[in-house]
Each structure stands twice: as C-alpha cells, then as structure tokens.
Amino acid sequence: MTYETLNFSLSQLDILNQDDDVIICKLRLLHTGINKNQCDITKESVLASLDSFYNKPIIYKLNNRFFPETATDVTEHNKDFRTTSMDIAGSIIESGGYSFVKENGKEYLEMVGVVHKIYQPVISKILQKNGGEVKVSIELKPLIAHKDEDGILVIEKFKLLSCCLLSNKIECGIEGSKLEVTKFSSNEYNDKYIVFSQRETFKVTMGTKPPIKINKSKEAVSHSEWGDVDKTALRNKILDAKNYKTLVKSVYLEVLDGWQDSPSTKLKFPVMEFKNNELVYNRYGISSALGYAKAENRNVIVSKAESLYEKLEIDEGGSNVEEKTIENAIESEEFVAEEEVVENAEVEVVVEDEVEDEKKEDSEDETETEVVDEKFAELEQKFNSLTELNFELSEKIKAFERKDELVQMKCLMEEFAHCYAEGDKEELDAVINTCTYSEFESKVNEKVKSFAKKIKEDKKEDKQPAQSFSIGLPIEKEEFTVGKFSIENYLKNSKVVLGK
C-alpha cells in the first residue's frame, strides 16, 4: 500500500478568516523613532524584539466595571499598583506576520490580532459603535536601554507585554497607534456592522449581476407603504446590477462624489422600489424625500421632488390627478303659456323640493358631526389612558435608575474604603440616599484627596524625581545616567507604558 503526502496551504489566518466567532483586526502598534513619551525605538530594536510580540494579549478595561453589559467604551491602562488585572479581548497572532507601513512621515509596525466575538459581546458592540476602529497602546519591558544626552530613553531591545485598547478620547503616546477591524463576519464581511467594510464589499460585487429594468411611467407609480421597503436591500440589489450607475442616478435624488467607495453614506433620498421585477417610483418615497429635504432646507432636493410630483401628476393628498371633462347638459325648456296660477303652483313645487333637499343635507351634516365627535371622544380617552400609562412607566424607570445609582454609589464607597479616615464611611453612608451619583462621587473624591495628601506629606523626603515616560508598576529607586548601559536589573519588575 502506498501513501501520498498531502501538503495543506491553509494557515491559521486562513482558518480564522472562515470563523464567524472571531473578529480579525489590523494592529498598528508603534512607529519607529521618538514618540511623545520621549522614548526612541529604532527599526532594528523592533526586529530584535519581534519574537516577544506573538501571542501576547489584547487587554482592556471597561468604563463601567460594575455593570459591564452597560459599558459604552473602554478606558486605558490599569492605574492600580495593587493589582495587574486587566480583561483580555484576544491576542496578537503569529501566523499573521508583520509589516512596516509608511504614513504621514512615520514608519509603523503592523500586525494581526483577533478578538473573540462570542466571549466579548461588549467589546464587539464598542467596535461596531466606533466604526471598527479604536486607539491602542503597548506595554513593554526594556531589556537593553540607555538615556542619551537629551534625556531620551533609547530602547535597543525590549519584551512586549500587551496591547491595550484605549478610549478614543485619550491622547496616544505613540501617535497613530490603532486597532482596525478587517473582518467582523466571514459571511457578511462587516456589511451589516461597519461602514468601512461595506466599501470593500461593494467594490467587489458592484455590477456583477444582470441589469435591472426601470419603469418611470406615472401608471407604474407604487402606493405601497414606504416604511415596508428595505432600503439596505434596495441599495445592495441596485449596486449588484450591471447597469448600477444608471440606476443610482434614477433611484436617489442625491448622489455625492465618492459614492462608490461609501454608498451607505453618499447615496441619499431614495424614491423608487422594486415591484414586479422592475424599479418604479414610490409615491410615499417621494413624499418622504420631500419632507426631509424641506426640514433640512435642501432646496435642490426639494426642487427635484416637486418636479417628480408634477411629472407623475401626484397631488398633495397622494392620489393621481385625473383630468375629467365635464359636459354641460343643455336641456331645452318648454315654456307653457298657461294661467299664472299654474305657473305659481310649479314654482311652489320647486321651492318645496329645494327645502326638502336642504333638510336632507342638514341631517347628513349633523350625522357626520356626531360621528366625528364620537371618534374624537374615543381618541381623547385613549390619549388620556396613554398619558397615565406613560407617567406610571416614567416613575418606574426613575425608581429603577435610582436603585441602579444607589448600587453604583455603594460600590464606589467600598472601592475606596481603605482611604477613609475614622468616621468617613459612616458620614458617607448617612448621605448616600440624598445624593446623586455625581454629588456622591465628589464627596468620595474629597476623602481620597485628603488621604493622598496625607500620604504625600508623610513621604515628602522619599519623593521620586518625575519620569519622562509612564511607569505601569513600582520600580527600584535608581536614576538613569547619560551613556549606554543595561537597565535590565533596574526595570526587572517594571513595565513602560508607551501608548498614552
């Protein structure tokens, strides 16, 4: 029996690209040269340290650690010297390799990372909210470094500890460092989640399917509910068609430059829908476009919409204007020359008929008024019921929010309990029910500041000189000297935060 050796070309990255459970991202970790933290990292030092980058964690902290599911953003590096704990979103993968990219006069190191979507739903939502991009920072441990004559820390070799997600509100120490999602979902390829990935998808699929017919006649105008029309599906189907450029100009009243790169943001005011395998005008789509255009003072769009009203003969009430010719029926009158009494009798009959008609019209008007009054009374009753329900729900929401606020305040009070002087906790506990969260936070901050001030006064003589870079953990008390030397022992148990 003979065996044949099979060589598979699939890499770990290829496999991950087919996995719906992970987000693949591009990590721009650092740029070579001097950064804002006054550290100089050369390209040679990066290459010498590259082995330490692979499989290192992507870490983060949420802006609401008490109720993570309600968090809306990440924060920054851990600032608590008592613990090194951080949450892990994913890792830098070895099979992704690395590359150097030049941009804005800087040379950046880029690598590939993954975020585990199933186990990090909050991070997935934050990435989605930020359009698939957040700032990052790195934490590293210098192995060989020296300070030059200008006080710049020149790092010749180092060990990467982690890549930390940063809030976009925080200024990066290494300018331009970021995480950028390149694949959110293998099937949809980010189309549902992130704008920039929509651009890539549309570039690939535009014009690859058969052309679509378009019917601009007034007879074909649709009166379907505009809210039932899926605008995203409409756009995707149009862009797939071979004649998509022609269709776009007909379907959308506003087509901005660069729409092929970003159709979701630059194709606006759609007025057509698919009906019977062709594109036709939707009466309420035109009305919607006109309403939004007027509200935004978009005179050009208003003019286009109104011209469609005229062209399609659509009135303001929404029905097609139909021209009806009214022929005057001329009836020949025969004048009967009889006695005046007979003529008066005829006039009398006519008058009686008119009176009867007027009575009938008045009766109909009264009936219609009664119906309207009844309907109004019914609607008024429903409105009053809904108003009461709204008030009840508002009160319940307020009570729930207050309960949530109290829980957060108690957690805040306990978190800094080690900073209180005697009697401080009892004082805070006594006012917690009468304070808002911000008011209570201010009171806790006052206690913490007093504690910090006391510690500072107690250790004035032991005060360390300010460092030109951010230190993540306590280090030995020793100064840098000018010239080249190893600081391995100096930073044996320390890390340098270079991201902010």
Side-chain angles (χ1 to χ4, degrees), residues 22 30 32 61 68-69 82 86 95 138 184 200 217 236 240 259 286 311 327 347-348 357 382 432 450 473 488 494:
V22 298
L30 58 86
T32 58
K61 271 192 177 298
E69 66 279 0
R82 297 169 300 172
M86 293 283 285
S95 63
I138 58 172
F184 197 100
E200 301 303 321
S217 68
N236 292 349
D240 283 344
W259 65 268
I286 299 171
K311 175 185 173 183
E327 297 181 359
V347 171
E348 240 176 59
D357 289 341
K382 286 184 179 179
I432 193 170
S450 299
L473 293 174
E488 183 174 0
S494 71

Side-chain angles (χ1 to χ4, degrees), residues 182-200:
T182 57
K183 189 216 71 149
F184 197 100
S185 164
S186 63
N187 293 326
E188 296 166 341
Y189 225 84
N190 302 348
D191 183 42
K192 184 178 177 182
Y193 299 94
I194 312 172
V195 172
F196 74 83
S197 60
Q198 287 179 345
R199 296 199 299 264
E200 301 303 321

Side-chain angles (χ1 to χ4, degrees), residues 48 58 62 73 78 119 125 145 150 168 176 179 187 197 253 262 281 329-330 392 434 457 462:
I58 300 171
L62 296 172
D73 200 359
N78 177 40
Y119 301 108
K125 288 179 183 177
D150 297 323
N168 286 330
L179 175 153
N187 293 326
S197 60
L253 298 188
S262 184
Y281 284 111
I330 303 174
E392 290 175 8
T434 59
E457 290 172 353
D462 297 329

Side-chain angles (χ1 to χ4, degrees), residues 57-119:
I58 300 171
I59 61 176
Y60 70 93
K61 271 192 177 298
L62 296 172
N63 64 356
N64 190 339
R65 68 185 185 85
F66 301 112
F67 302 95
E69 66 279 0
T70 64
T72 56
D73 200 359
V74 292
T75 54
E76 55 172 312
H77 296 275
N78 177 40
K79 295 294 184 182
D80 191 346
F81 285 169
R82 297 169 300 172
T83 175
T84 59
S85 98
M86 293 283 285
D87 293 311
I88 297 176
S91 59
I92 303 170
I93 60 171
E94 187 171 357
S95 63
Y98 70 93
S99 61
F100 286 92
V101 178
K102 291 184 179 179
E103 187 177 297
N104 299 325
K106 292 183 172 61
E107 188 171 32
Y108 290 93
L109 170 70
E110 289 187 351
M111 301 187 78
V112 177
V114 295
V115 173
H116 301 284
K117 189 162 58 174
I118 287 180
Y119 301 108

Side-chain angles (χ1 to χ4, degrees), residues 198-211:
Q198 287 179 345
R199 296 199 299 264
E200 301 303 321
T201 303
F202 284 124
K203 283 181 181 178
V204 174
T205 63
M206 277 183 184
T208 58
K209 294 184 179 180

Side-chain angles (χ1 to χ4, degrees), residues 197-261:
S197 60
Q198 287 179 345
R199 296 199 299 264
E200 301 303 321
T201 303
F202 284 124
K203 283 181 181 178
V204 174
T205 63
M206 277 183 184
T208 58
K209 294 184 179 180
I212 294 171
K213 293 180 181 179
I214 187 166
N215 188 343
K216 295 184 178 181
S217 68
K218 63 182 180 182
E219 291 78 17
V221 171
S222 170
H223 290 263
S224 301
E225 288 293 333
W226 186 240
D228 294 338
V229 177
D230 187 333
K231 315 303 185 300
T232 302
L234 171 72
R235 184 190 68 227
N236 292 349
K237 194 169 182 179
I238 289 170
L239 294 175
D240 283 344
K242 189 174 182 179
N243 59 335
Y244 70 95
K245 291 182 181 179
T246 302
L247 299 179
V248 160
K249 293 177 182 177
S250 299
V251 172
Y252 297 94
L253 298 188
E254 183 173 70
V255 180
L256 301 174
D257 291 340
W259 65 268
Q260 288 171 301
D261 291 326

Side-chain angles (χ1 to χ4, degrees), residues 37 39 77 137-142 153 155 159 161 469-473 480 487 491 494-499:
N37 283 320
C39 291
H77 296 275
S137 161
I138 58 172
E139 294 184 357
L140 59 84
K141 182 177 182 179
L153 179 66
I155 301 178
K159 178 182 180 182
L161 300 178
F469 56 96
S470 178
I471 299 297
L473 293 174
F480 287 115
I487 59 169
L491 294 171
S494 71
K495 63 181 178 181
V496 179
V497 178
L498 292 180

